[in-house]
């Protein structure tokens, strides 16, 4: 899956000219192996591949089929940078995908330097690029948009002293800052618990000492997230403490398989509408068949990515500069609503503002069922 697919009429290296009917190659960055979040990567890839198949089943782009050239980033920024260089050299028309924010930042910087259009599917960190760029657009909401909605949920549920168990990371640090600023402005307090050198039981001790009513997991999955959840659930001092995971870990089947009922009742962010229209419902059914389980919001992000890019290719051609120039003119019906891009302060990229935002959890009475707790 990660290899280059050959063609009788390979694309030119500059990505601007092809024989009529020859495939149009699209580079896809996806975390498919550890330490990347491989399950999220599989959902992202399923959405990308389904949309490519749909485009090709309806005649492709002016008679030319789309072809994904997939590279596994494994959550490694250096590996992603090398993949962007390789894909640009292979002549892909554009770059799509990526789930991990730190990896997506590296990919976006490299795509900008090479003049390669990059439509980022899932990474949310606000400053996807250090400087504004015309080459990069993003479907996922900026972290500050989703995480302030999550903070509003916490406040509405009566939590005014909140602890975060955070690992060192640009992404987690950004999330902590967003939460602290939003909560402080409304009279609430955020306390940081360092998990880098402490066992899960020590996190429980610190949580009890701080008398927080909610603990947010800003940590990796499965560890230390799984160990912390189990320890908190078994600590009688912490009965009634809400565990939250704004980054979305409980969305995936691995979470439910590892934690069972312990993993239920943990609110997280996802980017889906309360109800799908006919298009979204149809895609959801097809994704479920492809994955063998209910699709996550990440699968829908993948599908919407190719839908947007296919529209840009049809309307503006395969020249890389023309694709990048098309971002402000996009108006595409995606699975989760009409997609348009604007310049949003603090992101540096063309941004869909905004996808739907929900805070949901797994129902303790039926962990396979999701409950919508808040919409933002």
């Amino acid at each position: 899956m990660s290899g280059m697919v050959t063609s009788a009429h390979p694309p030119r290296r500059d990505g601007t000219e092809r024989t009529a009917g020859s495939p149009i190659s699209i580079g896809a960055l996806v975390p498919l192996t550890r330490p990347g979040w491989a399950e999220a990567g599989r959902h992202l890839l399923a959405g990308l591949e389904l949309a490519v198949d749909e485009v090709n089943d309806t005649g492709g782009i002016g008679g030319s089929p789309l072809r994904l050239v997939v590279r596994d980033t494994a959550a490694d920024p250096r590996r992603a940078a090398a993949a962007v260089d390789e894909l640009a050299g292979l002549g892909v028309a554009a770059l799509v995908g990526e789930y991990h924010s730190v990896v997506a930042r590296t990919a976006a910087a490299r795509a900008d330097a090479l003049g390669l259009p990059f439509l980022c599917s899932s990474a949310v960190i606000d400053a996807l690029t250090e400087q504004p760029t015309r080459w990069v657009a993003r479907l996922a909401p900026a972290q500050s948009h989703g995480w302030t909605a999550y903070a509003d949920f916490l406040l509405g549920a009566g939590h005014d002293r909140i602890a975060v168990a955070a690992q060192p990371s640009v992404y987690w640090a950004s999330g902590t800052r967003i939460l602290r600023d939003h909560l402080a402005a409304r009279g609430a307090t955020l306390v940081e618990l360092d998990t880098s050198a402490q066992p899960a039981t020590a996190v429980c001790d610190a949580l009890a000492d701080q008398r927080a009513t909610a603990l947010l997991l800003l940590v990796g999955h499965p560890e230390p997230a799984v160990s912390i959840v189990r320890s908190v659930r078994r600590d009688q001092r912490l009965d009634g403490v809400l565990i939250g995971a704004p980054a979305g870990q409980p969305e995936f089947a691995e979470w439910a398989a590892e934690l069972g009922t312990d993993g239920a009742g943990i609110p997280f962010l996802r980017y889906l509408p309360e109800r799908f229209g006919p298009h979204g419902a149809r895609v959801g059914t097809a994704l479920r068949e492809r994955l063998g389980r209910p699709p996550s919001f990440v699968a829908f992000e993948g599908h919407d990515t190719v839908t947007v890019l296919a529209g840009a290719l049809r309307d503006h051609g395969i020249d890389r500069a023309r694709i990048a120039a098309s971002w402000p003119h996009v108006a595409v019906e995606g699975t989760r609503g009409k997609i348009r891009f604007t310049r949003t302060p603090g992101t540096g990229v063309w941004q869909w503002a905004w996808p739907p935002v929900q805070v949901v959890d797994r129902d303790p009475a039926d962990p396979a069922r999701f409950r919508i707790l808040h919409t933002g």
Side-chain angles (χ1 to χ4, degrees), residues 232-248:
V232 171
R233 293 297 198 210
R234 285 154 179 72
D235 194 320
Q236 294 183 356
R237 298 172 299 171
L238 304 178
D239 284 348
V241 170
L242 174 75
I243 305 174

Side-chain angles (χ1 to χ4, degrees), residues 25 34 47 98 107 125 137 142 147 175 241 262 274 291 295 306 344 367 370 374:
S25 294
R34 297 286 187 190
E98 196 44 53
I125 195 166
W147 287 45
V241 170
D262 280 348
E274 187 170 355
L291 288 162
V306 172
T344 305
F370 294 107
H374 180 79

Side-chain angles (χ1 to χ4, degrees), residues 16-362:
T16 60
E17 296 179 14
R18 288 174 176 81
T19 303
S22 64
I24 300 171
S25 294
I26 306 299
L29 302 178
V30 187
L32 294 173
T33 54
R34 297 286 187 190
W37 198 340
E39 187 177 10
R42 290 192 295 271
H43 281 242
L44 177 56
L45 184 58
L48 294 169
E49 290 179 334
L50 174 63
V52 166
D53 288 348
E54 291 174 348
V55 169
N56 292 340
D57 288 345
T58 55
I61 306 297
S64 295
L66 287 182
R67 175 176 59 181
L68 280 183
V69 186
V70 181
R71 292 295 179 266
D72 175 17
T73 64
D76 184 340
R78 291 174 297 180
R79 187 165 172 171
V84 175
D85 287 348
E86 179 199 4
L87 292 166
L90 289 171
V92 300
L95 192 68
V96 298
E98 196 44 53
Y99 176 81
H100 296 284
S101 284
V102 175
V103 177
R105 287 182 68 192
T106 297
R110 195 71 195 127
D112 180 46
L114 295 172
L116 179 61
F118 175 30
L119 180 52
C120 182
S121 303
S122 295
V124 300
I125 195 166
D126 278 46
L128 195 58
T129 57
E130 292 185 5
Q131 301 294 332
T133 174
R134 67 189 182 99
W135 295 101
V136 182
R138 175 167 59 186
L139 286 174
Q143 189 177 17
S144 58
H145 180 72
W147 287 45
T148 53
Y150 193 93
D152 287 337
F153 156 73
L154 293 172
L155 292 166
H159 298 284
D160 59 8
R161 188 166 180 81
I162 297 152
V164 296
Q167 289 180 301
S169 160
V170 172
Y171 173 63
W172 298 127
S174 172
T176 300
R177 183 174 60 254
I178 291 164
L179 292 168
R180 180 190 296 109
D181 291 348
H182 194 73
L183 293 167
R186 289 151 184 82
T189 301
L190 188 76
V191 178
E192 294 185 58
L193 309 179
D194 180 18
T195 65
S196 59
Q198 296 189 77
T201 52
V203 172
C204 292
D205 292 340
L207 182 59
D209 291 343
Q210 293 292 338
R211 298 183 180 178
T213 61
L215 170 67
L216 307 186
L217 302 175
L218 276 56
V219 296
H221 174 267
E223 292 299 334
V226 168
S227 294
I228 293 174
V229 170
R230 285 177 175 154
S231 294
V232 171
R233 293 297 198 210
R234 285 154 179 72
D235 194 320
Q236 294 183 356
R237 298 172 299 171
L238 304 178
D239 284 348
V241 170
L242 174 75
I243 305 174
Q249 296 96 321
E251 169 85 6
F252 295 96
E254 287 178 1
W255 177 273
E258 289 159 348
L259 284 164
T261 55
D262 280 348
I266 298 179
F268 63 93
L269 283 165
R270 71 177 183 182
Y271 308 117
L272 294 177
E274 187 170 355
R275 292 181 180 83
F276 282 108
H279 174 52
R282 178 189 62 78
V283 170
T285 298
L287 286 169
R288 183 173 190 137
E289 292 174 356
R290 199 166 276 242
L291 288 162
R293 60 188 54 182
S296 70
F297 69 89
V298 179
F300 289 95
E301 288 175 329
H303 190 280
D304 285 343
T305 300
V306 172
T307 300
V308 168
L309 185 58
L313 291 167
R314 290 191 186 100
D315 294 343
H316 301 277
I318 60 175
D319 175 78
R320 290 174 176 174
R322 291 182 65 186
I323 294 170
S326 75
W327 301 138
H329 307 293
V330 165
V332 173
E333 193 64 42
T335 60
R336 299 164 296 150
K338 179 75 77 173
I339 298 172
R340 301 178 187 272
F341 295 117
T342 61
R343 283 294 194 186
T344 305
T347 65
V349 302
W350 289 99
Q351 172 73 54
W352 180 18
W354 297 103
V357 174
Q358 300 174 346
V359 179
V360 301
D361 71 358
R362 291 181 177 271

